[in-house]
Amino acid sequence: MHVKVLVLYCHPNHPASQINRRLRAAAENVWGVTLHDLYHHYPDGFIDAEQEQELLHAHDVIVLQFPFYWYSTPPLLKAWQDEVLTFGFAYGQNKSLSTRQLLLAVTLGAHPNTYQRNKFAFELPELLRPLEAMSQYCGWEHRGIFSAGYEGNPGIEQLEIDAKRYQTLLEECVAGKLPPLFSTLNPSC
Ligand SMILES: Cc1cc2nc3c(=O)[nH]c(=O)nc-3n(C[C@H](O)[C@H](O)[C@H](O)COP(=O)(O)O)c2cc1C
């Protein structure tokens, strides 16, 4: 079984990236993954909604890969949601896009463990709930959150470990072995 995976890569400053750059390279190594760089395609912010919708039609698993900016997505990913996930296409009774599988790949300015109640007021899945709500509203299946982040400057070894972890996740998706359904409403699912 071959599942088509689309990684929507959304980094406002790719040349300066350390983590996403490495994760992206790992994703590009995976046969069956399409890597689509939103800031590269739309440097002036004007999104070709039709082309984006075609891409969604052509893939089964959608991975949103981005650096966490003020507990949210970079602005172009929000614009992508506003302009691409329209009524009649992504939601509404006669929507043309059927169920898709969603994965989030988020990089952080700190170790993911920082986002725990005993260290910070909010946990990461809680902060990413708007994307979970988007997924539910569109009838997609949320398959969880991949996160990477470090205390201070990441060492090459840690970057390699996380890149490998990401690559394995994507390889498994292509092979049809998706992570279990994810929900903050029902943590056991
Ligand atoms: C404008 C801006 C806002 C940021 N906000 C957050 C944040 O809310 N939480 C966080 O953990 N890191 C935050 N960071 C740090 C980035 O998430 C982090 O540097 C990035 O994920 C590292 O990946 P990269 O090397 O691919 O850029 C922010 C960085 C910038 C530039």
Side-chain angles (χ1 to χ4, degrees), residues 42 46-54 83-84 86 89:
Y42 310 116
F46 294 107
I47 293 174
D48 182 341
E50 239 174 73
Q51 202 216 327
E52 295 302 313
Q53 292 179 345
E54 276 171 28
E83 289 168 39
V84 179
T86 51
F89 171 73

Side-chain angles (χ1 to χ4, degrees), residues 11 17-20 67-71 107-110 115:
H11 199 304
S17 162
Q18 291 192 76
I19 311 176
N20 281 282
F68 213 26
Y69 275 12
W70 284 113
Y71 312 111
T107 64
L108 308 166
Y115 287 94

Side-chain angles (χ1 to χ4, degrees), residues 30-135:
V30 182
W31 179 87
V33 167
T34 307
L35 195 297
H36 184 59
D37 182 337
L38 289 176
Y39 275 96
H40 173 76
H41 278 271
Y42 310 116
D44 49 14
F46 294 107
I47 293 174
D48 182 341
E50 239 174 73
Q51 202 216 327
E52 295 302 313
Q53 292 179 345
E54 276 171 28
L55 274 172
L56 291 181
H57 268 307
H59 294 83
D60 312 296
V61 178
I62 313 303
V63 184
L64 304 180
Q65 183 187 333
F66 58 92
F68 213 26
Y69 275 12
W70 284 113
Y71 312 111
S72 185
T73 66
L76 191 59
L77 193 48
K78 177 63 170 63
W80 177 90
Q81 288 179 267
D82 297 349
E83 289 168 39
V84 179
L85 303 180
T86 51
F87 174 76
F89 171 73
Y91 68 96
Q93 245 181 1
N94 297 316
K95 64 177 183 176
S96 65
L97 188 69
S98 55
T99 296
R100 289 294 180 267
Q101 307 297 318
L102 177 73
L103 265 169
L104 304 178
V106 187
T107 64
L108 308 166
H111 193 280
N113 287 347
T114 313
Y115 287 94
Q116 281 177 2
R117 284 254 189 276
N118 58 348
K119 295 192 180 150
F120 190 56
F122 305 97
E123 294 182 358
L124 188 60
E126 240 181 306
L127 293 166
L128 291 167
R129 265 186 151 181
L131 292 171
E132 184 178 353
M134 172 204 81
S135 174

Side-chain angles (χ1 to χ4, degrees), residues 154-167:
I156 191 79
E157 262 177 42
Q158 192 56 51
L159 283 168
E160 289 302 323
I161 289 169
D162 282 326
K164 185 72 203 139
R165 203 162 54 86
Y166 191 45
Q167 186 167 328

Side-chain angles (χ1 to χ4, degrees), residues 4-20:
K4 291 183 191 135
V5 177
L6 174 66
V7 175
L8 289 176
Y9 179 79
C10 195
H11 199 304
N13 190 8
H14 175 71
S17 162
Q18 291 192 76
I19 311 176
N20 281 282

